[in-house]
Amino acid sequence: MVNKEFESFKLSIVKAMDFSGSEDEINKLKKTILDYNNNPLVNEKNKVDVDFLSFDKLYLSQNDKTGPHTINMNISSGFYCYECIKGHCNVQDTLNSKKGKFDKIICYSLANNNRLARTMTYGLINYIVFNTLPIDELVKQIKRAIDETNSYYLRFNEMGSFYSLDSFWKCDEIAKILKEDVISYSYTSNKKLFDKVHKNSFMTLSLSLGFADVDNVKIEDYKQTIVVQDNYETIKPLLDDDRFVFCNEDCSNCSQCKNKDNNKITVFIRHGAGHSYHLTDVIGIECFKNKQRHSMFKNMSFVSKSLT
């Protein structure tokens, strides 16, 4: 059943966003969010906490996947993702225009945003806050969350991506200021941006190749990730290939994406349509235990909690 209010909300976001961070764009987004959150026809579970509607507070979260010692900070919503609409990303191929239906879901972030209006809204609120608060106030809020949770990792953009070179450098400045407190890391599928920043960044940055031809992927002097289809024929040969290490779906006991010196290629099993495909779903748990390069596996529920 189509949720007319939610579909209208998404279309309004697409019309408002130009990723400029301008006063006009920010005001349009604020109005869109407030109109949706105050709409009596919208289910209460789809609305955000009113404390965030002052638009001066970051939504910082933890979830079962990234673990109890990682702070997640999004600077946009995965729903209307800059890398997708600019054609940088090879995982999702929808939302390529300012109109039409949003029914082709490949990317996990997009699926999550399409399922949960509240998740999408928090990402948009962070976009507003990121573009309006001074960096010292952003750092103050993040540092408070780090201290309260005893975290030692900061992940930028668990959904969505950097939407400009300036947005990356602002995040990297935050990583620099907090370098004694946390290891910061992120991903981008924008090769041009990646080439400009990864060697001199304070955060650990991985280049996302999306659905890649594994036969032609080579170890480079930088970090890479690929996505593969969830079938045995695709995955089995990679298990014995030293170039690749599989994501074990539990960031809390893995340093692969956070370690600048480890340049093995991280393999993600395709996410899509609101489901998370795990290696065990394809090859079985015993094969996973015998072949996997990680020591643990957890089937995550992706339950998120706010820290702010």
Side-chain angles (χ1 to χ4, degrees):
M1 183 177 178
V2 176
N3 185 321
K4 293 181 179 179
E5 287 75 26
F6 190 26
E7 291 303 309
S8 176
F9 179 48
K10 289 188 285 186
L11 283 169
S12 296
I13 291 165
V14 173
K15 292 176 181 178
M17 288 196 79
D18 59 13
F19 299 99
S20 67
S22 67
E23 184 177 356
D24 180 60
E25 180 197 32
I26 296 299
N27 287 336
K28 288 178 180 177
L29 287 174
K30 285 182 179 180
K31 183 178 185 305
T32 298
I33 291 169
L34 290 171
D35 286 348
Y36 182 76
N37 221 63
N38 294 329
N39 188 336
L41 297 178
V42 173
N43 192 305
E44 290 299 316
K45 70 179 182 180
N46 293 325
K47 298 181 179 182
V48 298
D49 190 318
V50 293
D51 287 349
F52 289 90
L53 296 179
S54 58
F55 301 105
D56 59 1
K57 185 178 182 182
L58 285 170
Y59 181 79
L60 303 171
S61 65
Q62 291 183 313
N63 59 44
D64 289 344
K65 181 193 171 195
T66 54
H69 298 293
T70 301
I71 302 294
N72 299 302
M73 174 183 163
N74 299 303
I75 63 169
S76 66
S77 166
F79 162 69
Y80 195 53
C81 177
Y82 183 86
E83 293 200 355
C84 174
I85 62 175
K86 292 298 182 182
H88 300 145
C89 183
N90 292 319
V91 176
Q92 51 179 304
D93 59 357
T94 186
L95 296 181
N96 57 3
S97 70
K98 290 271 183 176
K99 60 182 179 179
K101 295 182 178 180
F102 308 108
D103 56 359
K104 188 167 186 179
I105 301 173
I106 298 175
C107 169
Y108 170 76
S109 295
L110 179 58
N112 189 42
N113 274 264
N114 266 324
R115 288 202 313 277
L116 305 172
R118 184 164 53 182
T119 305
M120 178 194 300
T121 308
Y122 280 129
L124 293 169
I125 288 172
N126 272 14
Y127 176 82
I128 292 169
V129 175
F130 183 76
N131 277 286
T132 53
L133 287 192
I135 196 166
D136 59 338
E137 177 58 28
L138 297 175
V139 169
K140 180 181 177 181
Q141 293 187 27
I142 299 166
K143 180 67 166 64
R144 182 166 59 244
I146 290 169
D147 292 341
E148 289 176 353
T149 58
N150 189 30
S151 290
Y152 33 84
Y153 298 120
L154 172 61
R155 176 171 174 165
F156 292 102
N157 298 328
E158 196 185 19
M159 65 189 74
S161 189
F162 304 104
Y163 48 84
S164 67
L165 189 58
D166 285 345
S167 72
F168 172 83
W169 285 126
K170 188 171 182 178
C171 289
D172 203 56
E173 180 65 19
I174 293 172
K176 177 182 178 181
I177 295 170
L178 293 172
K179 68 182 188 301
E180 301 300 326
D181 300 286
V182 286
I183 295 172
S184 300
Y185 69 107
S186 190
Y187 309 81
T188 180
S189 56
N190 185 339
K191 182 66 162 57
K192 185 179 291 187
L193 182 147
F194 181 84
D195 287 342
K196 287 182 179 179
V197 305
H198 78 96
K199 290 183 179 179
N200 300 313
S201 64
F202 283 87
M203 75 173 75
T204 302
L205 189 65
S206 296
L207 178 64
S208 175
L209 302 178
F211 284 113
D213 180 355
V214 295
D215 293 331
N216 295 322
V217 175
K218 299 177 181 179
I219 294 287
E220 302 285 357
D221 63 347
Y222 51 78
K223 300 181 73 62
Q224 302 171 92
T225 69
I226 63 170
V227 180
V228 297
Q229 293 284 1
D230 54 310
N231 61 70
Y232 183 82
E233 290 74 18
T234 301
I235 294 169
K236 181 65 167 64
L238 305 185
L239 292 169
D240 299 316
D241 191 325
D242 287 338
R243 292 176 300 165
F244 304 103
V245 57
F246 280 82
C247 173
N248 72 343
E249 300 291 348
D250 181 3
C251 302
S252 64
N253 75 316
C254 177
S255 62
Q256 172 65 21
C257 293
K258 305 148 188 169
N259 183 353
K260 277 195 172 187
D261 298 325
N262 188 340
N263 290 337
K264 286 185 180 291
I265 301 159
T266 305
V267 180
F268 296 97
I269 309 300
R270 175 195 164 182
H271 294 320
H275 302 289
S276 174
Y277 293 96
H278 298 277
L279 193 58
T280 51
D281 296 335
V282 181
I283 66 173
I285 188 67
E286 291 306 316
C287 184
F288 178 90
K289 288 179 179 178
N290 293 334
K291 298 287 188 178
Q292 179 54 279
R293 294 170 176 83
H294 296 288
S295 60
M296 293 179 63
F297 174 82
K298 286 179 68 179
N299 188 13
M300 296 301 170
S301 62
F302 297 98
V303 174
S304 180
K305 65 178 181 180
S306 170
L307 302 174
T308 48

